[in-house]
Amino acid sequence: DDLLGGLRMIFRYEYLKLVLAASVLYEIALTCMHYELNLIGLDRFGVGISIKDESEHSTTSTKSDSDEGITYIQFMGWYGQTVNILSLFLSFYAFPRLIKNYGLRTTIRIFPTVLLLVTICAFVMFERNLYFLFISLSICKALTYSVHDPSEEVLYMPTSDAVKFKAKFWIDVVGQRIAKAIGSVINNYAGSVDGILKYGSLPSIVTALILWLACYQVGIQFDGLIKSGDVVGEDEVASECNEIEMSEQLRGDDDSDESDLFRDPEEDVVLTKFGKANRSESGSEHVLL
């Protein structure tokens, strides 16, 4: 019941729906573009020791002179290094200054804006451009780790503990895995660079646009909640406390009924006589005094 309670909270509160959208939708676009990067990289660099060695046996290579001696593994290694270096720089310098000077309302819109522009350029303006994908995805991944994910955590400030413990699981774990699975299904159906450009462009652009709208709206609602002091999910805590009090009260009534049921009637008679005797004795002592 507690597990499904977090899911019910998400559908009950508009703020949590926006947090869900801001936390998961970008995975679809990034998964599709990363798949395109992998396919183009494999086609360009191959999987051998070097392109120069494989070019003697292949007549369909699309490599350039500057690509000689580079392998796909090296290319992806450079990609990972670039993402991590940018993430470190942005986490250490950019994010604290953005939050301090511009607030969450502006900070949380940076990554969706960049992702929307990158998605449109990657699928419309710069198709099959390996180096554009390399640079743009490195920036997007770095922004995800260093700016957007920390901003998502700040969004839980005006929420109750019940939301943090129950709804956050569905958003951060289940929601993101489902979004990645949707992107993987699109990639599996596409199967090639032409296929991902044909079938992955529309879902990626649409989800990036919805992400931007969700982050725009959730920033406004976050500022409103902070100013008003309201807490999302606070009524859930109150209702749970009421249920606990009612259950304890019912349990207490049941215990009292059981004690009355198993009480010996003779004890009541003795106690009654003993009480009358005490009262009569105390009355006589009072008269004597």
Side-chain angles (χ1 to χ4, degrees):
D1 182 65
D2 291 337
L3 192 64
L4 296 178
L7 189 61
R8 287 194 296 268
M9 287 182 185
I10 296 174
F11 287 104
R12 180 177 180 181
Y13 299 102
E14 181 184 358
Y15 182 78
L16 294 182
K17 293 177 184 177
L18 294 173
V19 173
L20 173 65
S23 302
V24 306
L25 288 178
Y26 65 87
E27 295 287 356
I28 298 175
L30 288 180
T31 302
C32 292
M33 287 191 292
H34 197 269
Y35 181 68
E36 182 183 1
L37 174 71
N38 289 332
L39 291 180
I40 298 176
L42 283 170
D43 181 66
R44 177 73 61 86
F45 300 120
V47 294
I49 297 177
S50 67
I51 296 177
K52 190 173 182 179
D53 294 335
E54 293 181 356
S55 61
E56 298 176 359
H57 306 283
S58 177
T59 58
T60 60
S61 177
T62 58
K63 70 179 182 65
S64 61
D65 294 336
S66 60
D67 296 332
E68 291 186 355
I70 301 174
T71 64
Y72 171 74
I73 297 175
Q74 291 173 331
F75 176 76
M76 295 307 297
W78 294 342
Y79 172 76
Q81 292 173 1
T82 304
V83 170
N84 288 306
I85 292 172
L86 286 175
S87 298
L88 177 63
F89 174 79
L90 293 174
S91 299
F92 190 76
Y93 290 102
F95 180 72
R97 288 167 174 78
L98 288 171
I99 288 291
K100 181 179 179 180
N101 298 327
Y102 301 101
L104 183 69
R105 183 174 180 175
T106 301
T107 304
I108 201 169
R109 298 173 186 172
I110 295 176
F111 169 71
T113 303
V114 174
L115 180 64
L116 181 60
L117 295 175
V118 166
T119 305
I120 294 174
C121 292
F123 287 106
V124 178
M125 300 177 62
F126 303 102
E127 296 180 359
R128 301 181 182 85
N129 192 318
L130 179 63
Y131 296 104
F132 174 80
L133 288 172
F134 179 91
I135 296 172
S136 60
L137 281 179
S138 298
I139 296 173
C140 287
K141 282 285 188 180
L143 285 174
T144 302
Y145 299 141
S146 59
V147 176
H148 194 69
D149 286 349
S151 299
E152 292 174 10
E153 299 299 324
V154 179
L155 290 174
Y156 290 98
M157 286 180 58
T159 60
S160 65
D161 292 338
V163 171
K164 294 182 179 71
F165 285 105
K166 295 179 182 180
K168 195 172 186 297
F169 163 77
W170 287 96
I171 294 174
D172 292 348
V173 179
V174 180
Q176 288 190 358
R177 296 302 178 272
I178 292 176
K180 286 184 178 180
I182 293 173
S184 299
V185 169
I186 296 173
N187 294 338
N188 187 45
Y189 182 78
S192 63
V193 177
D194 293 334
I196 197 62
L197 290 174
K198 181 178 180 181
Y199 300 109
S201 58
L202 183 60
S204 299
I205 294 174
V206 170
T207 52
L209 179 60
I210 296 174
L211 173 68
W212 190 91
L213 295 174
C215 291
Y216 179 86
Q217 186 64 27
V218 77
I220 297 174
Q221 292 197 13
F222 175 83
D223 287 348
L225 291 171
I226 294 297
K227 290 179 181 179
S228 64
D230 295 335
V231 177
V232 178
E234 191 174 17
D235 52 345
E236 294 282 342
V237 178
S239 63
E240 288 181 0
C241 293
N242 292 332
E243 291 178 359
I244 293 173
E245 292 178 358
M246 291 179 62
S247 62
E248 291 179 351
Q249 185 177 0
L250 292 173
R251 191 180 299 112
D253 295 340
D254 294 338
D255 294 339
S256 62
D257 294 339
E258 291 178 359
S259 61
D260 293 338
L261 181 63
F262 293 101
R263 180 181 297 173
D264 190 358
E266 296 181 357
E267 293 181 0
D268 295 338
V269 174
V270 173
L271 290 174
T272 303
K273 293 181 179 179
F274 181 74
K276 289 181 180 179
N278 286 338
R279 283 197 298 271
S280 62
E281 292 177 0
S282 62
S284 62
E285 290 178 358
H286 182 70
V287 171
L288 292 173
L289 291 174

